[in-house]
Amino acid sequence: MTAPPASTIPLAALERFCCAAFAAIGADEPTGEAATRAMLHATKLGVDSHGVRLLPHYLKALEGGRLNKAPRLTRAGGLGAVEVLDADHAQGALGAYRGMERACDLAADLGVGAVAVRNSSHFGAAGAYAMAAAERGFIGLAFCNSDSFVRLHDGAERFHGTNPIAVGVPVAGSDPWLLDMATSAIPYNRVLLYRSLGTVLPEQVASDAGGADTRDAEAAEMLAPLGAAFGFKGAGLAGVAEILSAVLTGMQLSFDIPLMEGPDFATPRRLGAFLLALNPEAFLDRAQFDAGMRRYLDRLRGSAARAGGRVMAPGDREWEVAAERRIAGVTLDPATAAAFAEIARDLGIDPAA
């Protein structure tokens, strides 16, 4: 389908469209709200690879049976400040948001809360869930794994997924300190972008089928771990995400997960996730914590920058993009705009505009 001309769409219109699309295929309200919330988190912050462009994929997975349209999330175990949540093959954002919500409840009472989520699926940007904890005044950490696409350091086969790690920290009177990172050198979507542009990849971010570094986007068969010559560090961080989100939950390891892009959209993927919340007030007075974070960030942002550079805290770029997009809206890429037009037509809902 030919993409419509590019146009700027308000964030509120994108939110309405996504919720309407989920409802139109029979997904229950909690599923539609959680999935939309997670996608809009990424779109607002300029992380477009994990934003509303995922809507067609999620609709396909729900309609195909991979995801449960009306899941019943249940407590499956736990001890003290730890709980296990069975997501019943829900869309991944629902299980992750519920897991972090429960982790925060535990942290409010016990100082720390840890929730392992079972039988989940792709949850988008890990930062959405770390952010959810920070918005409640807690330090939040989120981990998950995904299907294999990243080689090990000196490896020659796909092993880990991009296995993100996210941390959100509340900052009094300001946006949170927010780290959201893949443990691969670059996201796979960057390879696709370079292919479409016909440009070469940066050094040491992708490998060919034999594991050799390549700058040819067309020849890239796997991603490199974060760290280039020190890629053992990125591979080790990917292992942290793997252990917490797969081994500790009893779910699929990256190399056992069915491919996100199919062709099988009927079989649940059995992903896990791990959410952790820390209550600063269990460690020190809130005012002291707030003052420490403020001094840290003031000193960080005011530190000397090299020529032509700018020192930023994790999340600073994203908050600037969010401020712009709240006012100006979002211009969808051509492929996503075309997919949205097709969704509106097929489901009989008003276009995003």
Side-chain angles (χ1 to χ4, degrees), residues 20-81:
F22 285 117
I25 65 164
D28 66 10
E29 188 171 337
T31 295
E33 288 181 349
T36 298
R37 178 184 174 189
M39 289 189 295
L40 263 292
H41 162 88
T43 291
K44 282 188 284 191
L45 271 59
V47 189
D48 293 320
S49 60
H50 290 68
V52 295
R53 68 174 296 276
L54 290 170
L55 177 64
H57 171 80
Y58 290 148
L59 295 177
K60 187 174 184 179
L62 285 159
E63 292 189 291
R66 172 188 285 180
L67 303 180
N68 191 341
K69 293 181 180 180
R72 297 184 62 185
L73 282 71
T74 56
R75 186 181 186 276
L79 177 66

Side-chain angles (χ1 to χ4, degrees), residues 29-307:
E29 188 171 337
T31 295
E33 288 181 349
T36 298
R37 178 184 174 189
M39 289 189 295
L40 263 292
H41 162 88
T43 291
K44 282 188 284 191
L45 271 59
V47 189
D48 293 320
S49 60
H50 290 68
V52 295
R53 68 174 296 276
L54 290 170
L55 177 64
H57 171 80
Y58 290 148
L59 295 177
K60 187 174 184 179
L62 285 159
E63 292 189 291
R66 172 188 285 180
L67 303 180
N68 191 341
K69 293 181 180 180
R72 297 184 62 185
L73 282 71
T74 56
R75 186 181 186 276
L79 177 66
V82 173
E83 286 196 2
V84 179
L85 177 68
D86 189 320
D88 193 25
H89 308 299
Q91 195 279 334
L94 180 58
Y97 275 126
R98 288 278 183 87
M100 185 57 87
E101 180 181 354
R102 185 57 188 147
C104 290
D105 290 342
L106 290 165
D109 292 334
L110 301 170
V112 61
V115 176
V117 181
R118 296 177 180 170
N119 294 316
S120 189
S121 193
H122 184 269
F123 71 16
Y129 317 108
M131 178 76 171
E135 288 173 338
R136 287 186 58 178
F138 301 105
I139 298 173
L141 294 86
F143 305 82
C144 76
N145 68 332
S146 58
D147 46 297
S148 294
F149 203 82
V150 185
R151 64 170 174 80
L152 296 170
H153 183 57
D154 283 341
E157 65 175 283
R158 298 181 181 185
F159 190 83
H160 287 129
T162 52
N163 291 20
I165 296 172
V167 183
V169 182
V171 179
S174 184
D175 293 310
W177 183 98
L178 181 64
L179 172 70
D180 187 353
M181 56 171 280
T183 52
S184 55
I186 59 171
Y188 180 58
N189 277 300
R190 184 71 59 83
V191 175
L192 296 180
L193 174 62
Y194 278 57
R195 284 179 183 174
S196 67
L197 296 174
T199 55
V200 297
L201 292 164
E203 297 278 3
Q204 297 180 294
V205 301
S207 304
D208 63 19
D213 289 342
T214 181
R215 299 190 67 192
D216 181 355
E218 295 292 341
E221 288 294 327
M222 62 192 84
L223 300 175
L226 183 69
F230 299 92
F232 58 87
K233 296 182 179 181
L237 288 172
V240 171
E242 192 83 21
I243 291 165
L244 292 177
S245 60
V247 177
L248 198 60
T249 63
M251 291 291 99
Q252 302 270 45
L253 294 162
S254 287
F255 42 78
D256 294 324
I257 298 172
L259 295 177
M260 179 177 174
E261 298 301 328
D264 180 3
F265 280 88
T267 304
R269 300 173 76 215
R270 300 184 65 243
L271 267 70
F274 183 78
L275 297 313
L276 179 67
L278 300 173
N279 184 351
E281 294 178 30
F283 298 86
L284 76 172
D285 180 78
R286 172 65 72 164
Q288 188 178 358
F289 172 80
D290 291 341
M293 283 301 299
R294 174 53 57 200
R295 172 160 169 72
Y296 169 63
L297 289 173
D298 287 348
R299 181 67 182 85
L300 185 157
R301 293 178 178 129
S303 62
R306 63 181 182 178

